[in-house]
Amino acid sequence: MITTDILIIGAGPTGLFTVFEAGLLKLKCHLIDALPQPGGQCSEIYPKKPIYDIPAYPEILAGDLTDKLLEQCKQFEPGFTLGERAETIEKQEDGTFIVTTNKGTKHQAPVVAIAGGLGSFEPRKPLIDNIVDYEEKGVEYMIKEPEMYRDKRVVIAGGGDSALDWTIFLADVASNVTLVHRRNEFRGHLDSVEKVQELKNAGKINLVTPAEITAINGNGKVESIEVTKKDEAPYLIETDHFIPLFGLSPKLGPIANWGLEIEKNAIKVNNALDYQTNIPGIFAIGDVNTYPGKLKLILCGFHEATLMCQAAYKIIHPGKRYVLKYTTVSGVDGFDGTRKEAPKAVVKAIQ
Ligand SMILES: Cc1cc2nc3c(=O)[nH]c(=O)nc-3n(C[C@H](O)[C@H](O)[C@H](O)COP(=O)(O)OP(=O)(O)OC[C@H]3O[C@@H](n4cnc5c(N)ncnc54)[C@H](O)[C@@H]3O)c2cc1C
Protein backbone atom coordinates (compact mmCIF):
# COMPACT_ATOMS: atom_id res chain seq x y z
CA MET A 1 0.00 0.00 0.00
CA ILE A 2 1.40 3.39 -1.03
CA THR A 3 0.37 6.07 1.45
CA THR A 4 0.58 9.81 0.98
CA ASP A 5 -1.13 13.09 1.91
CA ILE A 6 -2.54 14.01 -1.51
CA LEU A 7 -3.03 11.31 -4.12
CA ILE A 8 -2.99 12.97 -7.53
CA ILE A 9 -4.57 11.18 -10.46
CA GLY A 10 -2.91 12.54 -13.58
CA ALA A 11 0.69 13.72 -13.93
CA GLY A 12 -0.04 16.44 -16.48
CA PRO A 13 1.00 20.07 -15.86
CA THR A 14 -1.79 20.52 -13.28
CA GLY A 15 -0.82 17.40 -11.32
CA LEU A 16 2.88 18.28 -11.36
CA PHE A 17 2.31 21.84 -10.14
CA THR A 18 0.07 20.48 -7.36
CA VAL A 19 3.14 18.68 -5.97
CA PHE A 20 4.95 22.00 -5.64
CA GLU A 21 2.06 23.89 -4.05
CA ALA A 22 1.38 20.98 -1.66
CA GLY A 23 5.09 20.85 -0.81
CA LEU A 24 5.02 24.48 0.33
CA LEU A 25 2.37 23.34 2.83
CA LYS A 26 4.57 20.37 3.83
CA LEU A 27 2.11 17.91 2.27
CA LYS A 28 3.47 14.86 0.39
CA CYS A 29 2.08 13.80 -2.97
CA HIS A 30 1.98 10.65 -5.06
CA LEU A 31 0.90 10.70 -8.71
CA ILE A 32 -0.74 7.97 -10.79
CA ASP A 33 -0.72 8.24 -14.57
CA ALA A 34 -1.85 5.83 -17.25
CA LEU A 35 0.94 7.07 -19.50
CA PRO A 36 4.51 5.83 -19.09
CA GLN A 37 5.86 9.37 -18.60
CA PRO A 38 4.71 12.54 -16.77
CA GLY A 39 3.55 15.66 -18.64
CA GLY A 40 0.01 14.76 -19.77
CA GLN A 41 -1.02 16.28 -23.09
CA CYS A 42 2.17 18.39 -23.18
CA SER A 43 4.41 15.29 -23.34
CA GLU A 44 2.12 12.93 -25.16
CA ILE A 45 0.51 15.11 -27.83
CA TYR A 46 2.66 18.15 -28.50
CA PRO A 47 6.08 18.06 -26.77
CA LYS A 48 7.79 19.98 -29.56
CA LYS A 49 5.15 22.71 -30.00
CA PRO A 50 5.81 26.14 -28.47
CA ILE A 51 3.29 27.50 -25.92
CA TYR A 52 2.97 31.28 -25.74
CA ASP A 53 0.62 31.82 -22.78
CA ILE A 54 2.55 30.48 -19.79
CA PRO A 55 3.15 33.46 -17.47
CA ALA A 56 6.74 34.72 -17.63
CA TYR A 57 7.64 32.44 -20.55
CA PRO A 58 7.13 34.38 -23.79
CA GLU A 59 7.66 31.03 -25.51
CA ILE A 60 8.33 27.53 -24.17
CA LEU A 61 8.17 24.10 -25.77
CA ALA A 62 5.52 21.89 -24.14
CA GLY A 63 8.19 19.24 -23.45
CA ASP A 64 10.45 21.84 -21.82
CA LEU A 65 7.54 23.05 -19.65
CA THR A 66 7.15 19.48 -18.37
CA ASP A 67 10.90 19.32 -17.60
CA LYS A 68 10.70 22.64 -15.71
CA LEU A 69 7.66 21.48 -13.69
CA LEU A 70 9.46 18.25 -12.80
CA GLU A 71 12.55 20.23 -11.78
CA GLN A 72 10.42 22.57 -9.65
CA CYS A 73 8.60 19.78 -7.79
CA LYS A 74 11.60 17.40 -7.44
CA GLN A 75 12.56 18.90 -4.05
CA PHE A 76 9.24 17.65 -2.68
CA GLU A 77 10.08 14.07 -3.67
CA PRO A 78 6.79 13.02 -5.29
CA GLY A 79 6.11 9.33 -5.80
CA PHE A 80 4.97 8.07 -9.21
CA THR A 81 2.90 5.10 -10.34
CA LEU A 82 3.27 5.38 -14.11
CA GLY A 83 1.76 3.28 -16.90
CA GLU A 84 -1.19 2.34 -14.65
CA ARG A 85 -4.76 3.61 -14.79
CA ALA A 86 -6.62 4.54 -11.59
CA GLU A 87 -9.54 2.17 -11.73
CA THR A 88 -11.49 2.13 -8.44
CA ILE A 89 -11.85 4.29 -5.34
CA GLU A 90 -13.12 3.16 -1.94
CA LYS A 91 -13.80 5.39 1.03
CA GLN A 92 -12.54 3.93 4.32
CA GLU A 93 -14.11 4.29 7.76
CA ASP A 94 -11.29 6.62 8.85
CA GLY A 95 -12.23 8.99 5.99
CA THR A 96 -9.26 8.11 3.76
CA PHE A 97 -9.56 6.80 0.21
CA ILE A 98 -7.99 3.73 -1.37
CA VAL A 99 -7.41 4.01 -5.10
CA THR A 100 -6.50 0.84 -6.99
CA THR A 101 -5.03 0.77 -10.49
CA ASN A 102 -5.72 -1.65 -13.33
CA LYS A 103 -2.52 -3.45 -12.33
CA GLY A 104 -3.68 -3.82 -8.71
CA THR A 105 -1.39 -1.18 -7.11
CA LYS A 106 -3.13 0.29 -4.06
CA HIS A 107 -2.74 3.87 -2.82
CA GLN A 108 -4.20 5.41 0.33
CA ALA A 109 -4.63 9.11 1.10
CA PRO A 110 -6.97 11.43 3.01
CA VAL A 111 -7.28 13.67 -0.07
CA VAL A 112 -7.60 12.71 -3.74
CA ALA A 113 -6.96 15.33 -6.43
CA ILE A 114 -8.21 14.26 -9.84
CA ALA A 115 -6.07 16.06 -12.42
CA GLY A 116 -7.03 13.66 -15.17
CA GLY A 117 -7.25 16.18 -18.03
CA LEU A 118 -9.25 14.82 -20.91
CA GLY A 119 -9.17 11.43 -19.24
CA SER A 120 -6.80 8.53 -19.56
CA PHE A 121 -5.45 8.16 -23.04
CA GLU A 122 -6.52 4.92 -24.67
CA PRO A 123 -4.60 3.72 -27.72
CA ARG A 124 -6.40 3.69 -31.07
CA LYS A 125 -6.21 0.06 -32.14
CA PRO A 126 -5.99 -1.22 -35.71
CA LEU A 127 -8.98 -3.23 -36.91
CA ILE A 128 -7.41 -6.67 -36.77
CA ASP A 129 -9.75 -9.38 -35.48
CA ASN A 130 -7.45 -11.22 -33.09
CA ILE A 131 -5.25 -8.30 -31.98
CA VAL A 132 -6.41 -8.49 -28.34
CA ASP A 133 -5.10 -12.08 -28.13
CA TYR A 134 -1.58 -10.76 -28.68
CA GLU A 135 -1.66 -7.71 -26.38
CA GLU A 136 1.36 -7.85 -24.05
CA LYS A 137 2.42 -10.94 -26.07
CA GLY A 138 4.25 -9.00 -28.74
CA VAL A 139 1.66 -6.30 -29.48
CA GLU A 140 2.30 -3.03 -27.64
CA TYR A 141 0.47 0.24 -28.24
CA MET A 142 2.99 2.35 -26.30
CA ILE A 143 6.68 1.94 -25.73
CA LYS A 144 7.39 1.91 -22.02
CA GLU A 145 10.77 0.19 -21.90
CA PRO A 146 12.76 0.62 -25.12
CA GLU A 147 15.37 -1.87 -23.85
CA MET A 148 12.89 -4.73 -24.21
CA TYR A 149 13.30 -4.38 -28.00
CA ARG A 150 17.09 -4.83 -27.92
CA ASP A 151 18.16 -7.28 -30.65
CA LYS A 152 14.52 -8.08 -31.43
CA ARG A 153 12.64 -7.80 -34.74
CA VAL A 154 10.09 -4.98 -34.62
CA VAL A 155 7.30 -3.85 -36.95
CA ILE A 156 5.94 -0.34 -36.27
CA ALA A 157 2.73 0.89 -37.92
CA GLY A 158 1.70 4.54 -38.16
CA GLY A 159 2.45 7.77 -39.96
CA GLY A 160 2.77 10.42 -37.24
CA ASP A 161 5.49 11.70 -34.94
CA SER A 162 5.36 8.71 -32.56
CA ALA A 163 5.84 6.19 -35.36
CA LEU A 164 8.68 8.26 -36.87
CA ASP A 165 10.44 8.98 -33.55
CA TRP A 166 10.33 5.37 -32.35
CA THR A 167 11.47 4.07 -35.74
CA ILE A 168 14.50 6.36 -35.48
CA PHE A 169 15.18 5.37 -31.87
CA LEU A 170 14.72 1.62 -32.30
CA ALA A 171 16.87 1.55 -35.46
CA ASP A 172 19.85 1.55 -33.04
CA VAL A 173 18.31 -0.89 -30.55
CA ALA A 174 16.37 -3.58 -32.41
CA SER A 175 17.96 -6.11 -34.75
CA ASN A 176 15.47 -5.21 -37.47
CA VAL A 177 12.91 -2.39 -37.78
CA THR A 178 10.11 -2.23 -40.36
CA LEU A 179 7.86 0.83 -40.60
CA VAL A 180 4.48 0.27 -42.28
CA HIS A 181 2.15 3.16 -43.17
CA ARG A 182 -1.01 3.23 -45.22
CA ARG A 183 0.15 6.32 -47.14
CA ASN A 184 3.42 7.38 -48.70
CA GLU A 185 3.21 10.72 -46.89
CA PHE A 186 4.10 11.05 -43.20
CA ARG A 187 2.68 13.76 -40.93
CA GLY A 188 5.47 14.70 -38.59
CA HIS A 189 8.44 16.96 -38.00
CA LEU A 190 10.42 17.54 -41.17
CA ASP A 191 13.69 16.50 -39.51
CA SER A 192 12.11 13.20 -38.35
CA VAL A 193 10.73 12.46 -41.84
CA GLU A 194 14.17 13.21 -43.34
CA LYS A 195 15.95 11.04 -40.77
CA VAL A 196 13.65 8.08 -41.56
CA GLN A 197 14.39 8.61 -45.27
CA GLU A 198 18.14 8.54 -44.49
CA LEU A 199 17.77 5.33 -42.44
CA LYS A 200 15.83 3.72 -45.27
CA ASN A 201 18.41 4.80 -47.86
CA ALA A 202 21.20 3.42 -45.66
CA GLY A 203 19.36 0.08 -45.40
CA LYS A 204 19.03 0.46 -41.60
CA ILE A 205 15.23 0.15 -41.62
CA ASN A 206 12.62 -1.30 -43.98
CA LEU A 207 9.83 1.00 -45.14
CA VAL A 208 6.60 -0.50 -46.47
CA THR A 209 4.10 2.01 -47.96
CA PRO A 210 1.27 2.34 -48.83
CA ALA A 211 0.32 -0.74 -46.88
CA GLU A 212 -1.65 -2.02 -43.91
CA ILE A 213 -1.21 -4.83 -41.42
CA THR A 214 -4.11 -7.17 -42.04
CA ALA A 215 -3.41 -10.13 -39.72
CA ILE A 216 -1.26 -11.27 -36.83
CA ASN A 217 -0.01 -14.85 -36.54
CA GLY A 218 1.73 -16.73 -33.78
CA ASN A 219 1.47 -19.48 -31.26
CA GLY A 220 0.82 -17.74 -27.93
CA LYS A 221 2.93 -14.74 -29.00
CA VAL A 222 3.51 -12.68 -32.14
CA GLU A 223 5.58 -14.54 -34.72
CA SER A 224 4.62 -12.80 -37.94
CA ILE A 225 2.28 -10.17 -39.31
CA GLU A 226 0.52 -10.06 -42.65
CA VAL A 227 1.07 -6.94 -44.75
CA THR A 228 -1.21 -5.96 -47.59
CA LYS A 229 0.04 -3.42 -50.11
CA LYS A 230 -2.42 -1.73 -52.40
CA ASP A 231 -3.28 -3.94 -55.42
CA GLU A 232 -0.85 -6.64 -54.29
CA ALA A 233 -1.23 -10.04 -52.65
CA PRO A 234 -0.71 -10.07 -48.86
CA TYR A 235 2.65 -11.37 -47.58
CA LEU A 236 4.14 -12.21 -44.19
CA ILE A 237 6.88 -10.44 -42.23
CA GLU A 238 8.43 -12.44 -39.39
CA THR A 239 8.69 -10.35 -36.26
CA ASP A 240 8.87 -10.49 -32.45
CA HIS A 241 6.90 -7.29 -31.85
CA PHE A 242 4.14 -5.38 -33.59
CA ILE A 243 3.76 -1.78 -32.35
CA PRO A 244 0.76 0.09 -33.82
CA LEU A 245 1.21 3.81 -33.06
CA PHE A 246 -2.08 5.27 -34.29
CA GLY A 247 -2.42 7.88 -31.58
CA LEU A 248 -4.37 7.97 -28.35
CA SER A 249 -7.95 8.96 -27.74
CA PRO A 250 -8.84 10.41 -24.33
CA LYS A 251 -11.66 8.85 -22.29
CA LEU A 252 -12.78 9.89 -18.81
CA GLY A 253 -12.76 6.15 -18.26
CA PRO A 254 -13.23 4.52 -14.86
CA ILE A 255 -13.41 7.89 -13.02
CA ALA A 256 -16.85 8.36 -14.60
CA ASN A 257 -18.11 5.53 -12.33
CA TRP A 258 -16.85 6.95 -9.03
CA GLY A 259 -20.17 8.60 -8.11
CA LEU A 260 -18.94 12.07 -9.05
CA GLU A 261 -21.26 14.61 -10.63
CA ILE A 262 -20.38 14.66 -14.31
CA GLU A 263 -21.41 17.23 -16.89
CA LYS A 264 -20.40 16.92 -20.55
CA ASN A 265 -17.62 14.43 -19.80
CA ALA A 266 -16.10 16.69 -17.08
CA ILE A 267 -16.35 16.66 -13.27
CA LYS A 268 -18.47 19.39 -11.68
CA VAL A 269 -16.68 21.29 -8.90
CA ASN A 270 -17.30 24.10 -6.47
CA ASN A 271 -15.25 26.84 -8.08
CA ALA A 272 -16.43 29.51 -5.66
CA LEU A 273 -14.41 27.77 -2.95
CA ASP A 274 -11.82 25.08 -3.58
CA TYR A 275 -12.59 22.87 -6.62
CA GLN A 276 -14.01 20.11 -4.42
CA THR A 277 -16.38 17.65 -6.09
CA ASN A 278 -19.70 16.42 -4.69
CA ILE A 279 -17.68 13.88 -2.64
CA PRO A 280 -15.87 15.66 0.24
CA GLY A 281 -12.13 14.97 0.10
CA ILE A 282 -12.11 14.44 -3.67
CA PHE A 283 -11.08 17.47 -5.72
CA ALA A 284 -10.97 17.89 -9.51
CA ILE A 285 -8.53 20.38 -11.04
CA GLY A 286 -7.30 21.29 -14.51
CA ASP A 287 -8.91 20.21 -17.78
CA VAL A 288 -10.94 17.46 -16.08
CA ASN A 289 -13.28 19.79 -14.19
CA THR A 290 -16.12 22.06 -15.19
CA TYR A 291 -17.78 25.14 -13.65
CA PRO A 292 -19.31 28.30 -15.06
CA GLY A 293 -16.69 30.13 -17.11
CA LYS A 294 -14.21 27.22 -17.14
CA LEU A 295 -11.23 27.59 -19.49
CA LYS A 296 -9.14 24.55 -20.38
CA LEU A 297 -5.79 26.28 -20.11
CA ILE A 298 -2.60 25.30 -18.31
CA LEU A 299 -2.46 28.49 -16.26
CA CYS A 300 -6.03 27.89 -15.02
CA GLY A 301 -4.97 24.41 -13.84
CA PHE A 302 -2.07 25.99 -11.90
CA HIS A 303 -4.44 28.41 -10.15
CA GLU A 304 -6.94 25.68 -9.30
CA ALA A 305 -4.15 23.46 -7.92
CA THR A 306 -2.98 26.27 -5.63
CA LEU A 307 -6.41 26.88 -4.09
CA MET A 308 -7.13 23.15 -3.84
CA CYS A 309 -3.97 22.56 -1.78
CA GLN A 310 -5.10 25.12 0.80
CA ALA A 311 -8.38 23.21 1.22
CA ALA A 312 -6.51 19.88 1.36
CA TYR A 313 -4.36 21.26 4.19
CA LYS A 314 -7.48 21.95 6.25
CA ILE A 315 -8.71 18.36 5.74
CA ILE A 316 -5.33 16.83 6.60
CA HIS A 317 -4.62 19.16 9.55
CA PRO A 318 -8.05 20.05 10.93
CA GLY A 319 -7.94 22.91 13.38
CA LYS A 320 -4.44 23.98 12.35
CA ARG A 321 -4.16 27.45 10.83
CA TYR A 322 -1.98 28.06 7.82
CA VAL A 323 -0.76 31.56 7.19
CA LEU A 324 0.14 32.21 3.58
CA LYS A 325 3.75 33.33 3.23
CA TYR A 326 5.56 34.52 0.11
CA THR A 327 8.32 32.14 -0.95
CA THR A 328 10.57 35.19 -1.23
CA VAL A 329 10.08 35.70 2.50
CA SER A 330 9.78 32.15 3.87
CA GLY A 331 12.12 30.41 1.41
CA VAL A 332 11.41 26.83 0.32
CA ASP A 333 12.34 23.79 2.40
CA GLY A 334 12.53 20.71 0.21
CA PHE A 335 11.70 17.29 1.66
CA ASP A 336 15.12 16.22 0.32
CA GLY A 337 16.87 18.53 2.82
CA THR A 338 17.48 21.36 0.37
CA ARG A 339 16.67 24.94 1.29
CA LYS A 340 16.17 27.83 -1.07
CA GLU A 341 15.95 31.35 0.25
CA ALA A 342 16.49 34.90 -0.83
CA PRO A 343 19.75 36.40 0.46
CA LYS A 344 19.19 38.02 3.89
CA ALA A 345 19.57 41.76 4.30
CA VAL A 346 22.79 42.61 6.12
CA VAL A 347 23.40 45.30 8.71
CA LYS A 348 26.81 46.78 8.05
CA ALA A 349 28.21 50.21 8.65
CA ILE A 350 29.60 52.13 5.74
CA GLN A 351 32.80 53.93 6.80
C1 LIG B 1 -2.22 20.50 -29.48
C2 LIG B 1 -2.54 21.21 -28.19
C3 LIG B 1 -2.07 22.47 -27.97
C4 LIG B 1 -2.34 23.15 -26.76
N1 LIG B 1 -1.86 24.41 -26.59
C5 LIG B 1 -2.07 25.05 -25.39
C6 LIG B 1 -1.56 26.36 -25.16
O1 LIG B 1 -0.95 26.97 -26.04
N2 LIG B 1 -1.79 26.92 -23.94
C7 LIG B 1 -2.50 26.29 -22.93
O2 LIG B 1 -2.64 26.84 -21.85
N3 LIG B 1 -3.01 25.05 -23.16
C8 LIG B 1 -2.82 24.42 -24.35
N4 LIG B 1 -3.35 23.18 -24.55
C9 LIG B 1 -4.19 22.59 -23.49
C10 LIG B 1 -3.30 22.05 -22.37
O3 LIG B 1 -2.40 21.08 -22.87
C11 LIG B 1 -4.19 21.48 -21.28
O4 LIG B 1 -4.97 22.53 -20.73
C12 LIG B 1 -3.34 20.86 -20.17
O5 LIG B 1 -2.56 19.80 -20.66
C13 LIG B 1 -4.24 20.36 -19.05
O6 LIG B 1 -3.41 19.83 -18.07
P1 LIG B 1 -3.96 18.75 -17.04
O7 LIG B 1 -2.79 18.40 -16.19
O8 LIG B 1 -5.19 19.25 -16.42
O9 LIG B 1 -4.39 17.49 -17.94
P2 LIG B 1 -3.58 16.60 -18.99
O10 LIG B 1 -2.43 17.32 -19.56
O11 LIG B 1 -4.62 16.09 -19.93
O12 LIG B 1 -3.04 15.41 -18.11
C14 LIG B 1 -3.94 14.51 -17.53
C15 LIG B 1 -3.23 13.21 -17.24
O13 LIG B 1 -4.12 12.38 -16.48
C16 LIG B 1 -3.94 11.05 -16.86
N5 LIG B 1 -5.14 10.30 -16.47
C17 LIG B 1 -6.44 10.57 -16.74
N6 LIG B 1 -7.25 9.66 -16.20
C18 LIG B 1 -6.46 8.77 -15.55
C19 LIG B 1 -6.68 7.59 -14.80
N7 LIG B 1 -7.92 7.11 -14.56
N8 LIG B 1 -5.61 6.94 -14.30
C20 LIG B 1 -4.34 7.39 -14.51
N9 LIG B 1 -4.07 8.50 -15.22
C21 LIG B 1 -5.11 9.18 -15.73
C22 LIG B 1 -3.72 11.12 -18.36
O14 LIG B 1 -3.02 9.98 -18.81
C23 LIG B 1 -2.89 12.41 -18.49
O15 LIG B 1 -1.51 12.16 -18.51
C24 LIG B 1 -3.12 22.51 -25.75
C25 LIG B 1 -3.60 21.22 -25.97
C26 LIG B 1 -3.32 20.56 -27.17
C27 LIG B 1 -3.83 19.17 -27.39
Side-chain angles (χ1 to χ4, degrees):
M1 180 79 77
I2 295 166
T3 56
T4 190
D5 293 323
I6 305 181
L7 180 64
I8 305 169
I9 297 165
T14 307
L16 293 177
F17 192 62
T18 307
V19 177
F20 178 77
E21 285 297 324
L24 293 181
L25 306 179
K26 308 223 178 313
L27 301 177
K28 279 219 79 164
C29 295
H30 187 96
L31 302 103
I32 306 177
D33 204 298
L35 294 173
Q37 79 286 325
Q41 296 171 51
C42 292
S43 309
E44 190 57 39
I45 304 181
Y46 62 109
K48 290 176 187 160
K49 273 199 159 81
I51 309 177
Y52 302 105
D53 55 352
I54 301 299
Y57 283 105
E59 179 178 336
I60 183 164
L61 296 182
D64 290 348
L65 177 68
T66 302
D67 291 345
K68 295 265 175 214
L69 286 165
L70 282 166
E71 187 188 325
Q72 191 176 27
C73 73
K74 189 169 161 253
Q75 60 201 312
F76 296 120
E77 300 183 317
F80 287 94
T81 301
L82 295 176
E84 298 187 28
R85 193 179 55 231
E87 204 69 28
T88 59
I89 192 162
E90 290 162 276
K91 187 148 188 176
Q92 305 301 294
E93 274 180 13
D94 64 358
T96 62
F97 297 92
I98 293 184
V99 174
T100 309
T101 67
N102 57 328
K103 299 216 172 132
T105 314
K106 290 190 180 293
H107 310 75
Q108 186 168 25
V111 169
V112 173
I114 303 175
L118 304 174
S120 62
F121 291 98
E122 304 291 332
R124 290 201 182 91
K125 300 182 182 182
L127 296 171
I128 301 172
D129 281 345
N130 58 351
I131 193 158
V132 285
D133 299 341
Y134 293 100
E135 287 173 0
E136 309 281 323
K137 292 174 190 142
V139 169
E140 290 93 31
Y141 303 106
M142 298 179 197
I143 296 181
K144 293 180 192 161
E145 288 165 35
E147 268 307 305
M148 90 185 216
Y149 303 101
R150 184 157 301 277
D151 302 328
K152 296 277 170 22
R153 297 163 301 176
V154 173
V155 174
I156 294 175
D161 275 318
S162 285
L164 292 165
D165 291 349
W166 283 115
T167 298
I168 296 166
F169 186 88
L170 292 180
D172 285 333
V173 175
S175 61
N176 186 293
V177 177
T178 303
L179 175 60
V180 181
H181 180 38
R182 65 194 164 98
R183 296 205 181 89
N184 289 322
E185 300 77 30
F186 286 81
R187 182 188 272 270
H189 276 88
L190 183 60
D191 49 352
S192 308
V193 179
E194 287 175 350
K195 179 76 190 161
V196 168
Q197 179 75 60
E198 274 171 35
L199 290 169
K200 187 213 159 187
N201 294 348
K204 293 195 170 153
I205 61 154
N206 311 310
L207 189 66
V208 186
T209 59
E212 289 188 66
I213 313 288
T214 39
I216 306 172
N217 310 301
N219 192 3
K221 63 178 183 59
V222 175
E223 287 168 11
S224 68
I225 47 108
E226 182 191 78
V227 183
T228 306
K229 280 188 97 171
K230 207 166 175 261
D231 304 326
E232 286 181 26
Y235 66 96
L236 294 183
I237 298 179
E238 289 189 358
T239 187
D240 304 302
H241 292 274
F242 170 40
I243 312 173
L245 297 174
F246 293 167
L248 301 166
S249 66
K251 287 203 178 73
L252 194 51
I255 294 171
N257 308 320
W258 287 6
L260 300 162
E261 249 184 278
I262 309 276
E263 191 179 272
K264 290 191 195 140
N265 218 25
I267 303 169
K268 273 177 91 173
V269 290
N270 174 356
N271 70 308
L273 206 58
D274 52 13
Y275 305 98
Q276 202 154 184
T277 66
N278 57 311
I279 302 180
I282 305 185
F283 297 78
I285 48 176
D287 274 16
V288 81
N289 73 13
T290 184
Y291 52 83
K294 168 72 184 177
L295 290 178
K296 291 190 188 220
L297 285 175
I298 294 167
L299 72 92
C300 298
F302 291 168
H303 167 78
E304 292 165 12
T306 308
L307 297 194
M308 183 282 289
C309 285
Q310 300 287 326
Y313 182 88
K314 289 183 193 138
I315 293 176
I316 295 164
H317 299 297
K320 226 171 156 183
R321 221 166 75 85
Y322 173 78
V323 182
L324 178 75
K325 293 187 198 111
Y326 296 134
T327 55
T328 43
V329 176
S330 63
V332 177
D333 287 304
F335 298 162
D336 55 0
T338 56
R339 170 149 179 88
K340 296 193 180 84
E341 63 179 327
K344 294 256 182 310
V346 291
V347 180
K348 191 169 189 292
I350 298 174
Q351 308 297 329

